Structures are given as C-alpha cells and as structure tokens.
Amino acid sequence: MKRFAAHYIYFAPLGFLKRSVVELSNEGSVLRIFPLTDEIESVEWRPGIILLLTSEEAEQLDKNKGVSLANLLTLLPKKGDPLKSSLDVYKDNPEGFFIPSERGVDNSDAPFYPYLLFPFDFTCMQPVAETRHRRLP
C-alpha cells in the first residue's frame, strides 16, 4: 500500500481537495482519500495536483501518450467554476472517503487511478503549457 499527498487532489464527485492524501492498493487503484492534518509516516509528497481517473479515462490517457492540454482541461472544472472548500467536504467525514474499487466497496463502480499533473497554475486552478502527466505507482 502506498500513500501520496499533493497540494490538491482532484476527484470529480468532490472537486479539488486541498492538502489531502490518496491511499493506493497494491494494484495501484485508489482505496481512500483523507486530509493531511499532520506529518504521516510513509506518505510521499508530490508537487502539483493528483487527478483521480476512472479506469476508462486512465486507459485513454495511457493510449494517447501525447495527450494535449485541451484533453486534460476536459477532465478539470472550467476556469471560474466555484471551488468547494476541503473543510466543508471533510467536515462530515474527518477520516476521509473510501473509494469504490476492485476490493469491493461497491463492485458496480470502476476503480480510480491517480495521475500527477505538474507544473500546475494554482491561481487559475488550470494546467499550464508545460504541464505533464504521469501515473503514480
């Protein structure tokens, strides 16, 4: 099991989550997202954002190694869209969220996979021309 933290994690149902941790299974799918409140042992810090994609989205991204900035923008909220506060998201769930995966929280949903986007423009919450993506192990 691996854990990664970043400035932001983007998970479509919840939006951008500031200073959060994504916990991965041995197969590389997301098990849980939780707030980074203290320094935690065995959490690797990554600059930029971690984008959580369904297996279909991840497959498309992996097939198209030269994915354009325009394609990445379709996965993120539009510039100017209101951002949810991480405090509001975690208020009712301080321990974080378990994500459906092949482990079976809900077998009807596809697993999610983490991709690091870096560099990233945090003022506009959008990728920049130099933004690259790579799947986290």
Side-chain angles (χ1 to χ4, degrees):
M1 179 179 343
K2 292 190 175 212
R3 293 177 174 168
F4 297 97
H7 292 98
Y8 289 91
I9 292 175
Y10 182 73
F11 182 47
L14 300 175
F16 282 104
L17 302 171
K18 190 172 187 176
R19 286 190 308 270
S20 294
V21 177
V22 62
E23 184 176 272
L24 307 181
S25 70
N26 292 334
E27 295 82 30
S29 64
V30 177
L31 294 176
R32 184 166 74 121
I33 303 169
F34 58 93
L36 181 64
T37 53
D38 296 318
E39 188 171 327
I40 303 170
E41 184 178 335
S42 72
V43 173
E44 294 180 39
W45 177 262
R46 301 296 174 144
I49 72 161
I50 296 174
L51 178 64
L52 303 184
L53 302 177
T54 64
S55 53
E56 284 180 5
E57 293 167 334
E59 190 175 307
Q60 288 177 341
L61 202 58
D62 288 340
K63 280 183 184 176
N64 304 321
K65 290 294 182 191
V67 171
S68 70
L69 183 61
N71 290 345
L72 284 175
L73 287 174
T74 63
L75 302 172
L76 297 171
K78 306 267 184 295
K79 186 176 177 180
D81 283 356
L83 299 177
K84 297 177 187 174
S85 166
S86 296
L87 297 175
D88 292 340
V89 172
Y90 288 126
K91 181 173 57 176
D92 297 327
N93 299 293
E95 298 300 314
F97 300 90
F98 286 93
I99 307 300
S101 70
E102 64 268 16
R103 271 189 1 143
V105 174
D106 180 349
N107 285 333
S108 64
D109 290 318
F112 288 86
Y113 297 95
Y115 283 78
L116 179 68
L117 301 181
F118 181 76
F120 197 81
D121 180 353
F122 293 108
T123 55
C124 297
M125 296 307 286
Q126 294 289 305
V128 295
E130 297 81 23
T131 297
R132 299 290 175 255
H133 70 279
R134 72 176 181 91
R135 188 168 172 172
L136 292 174

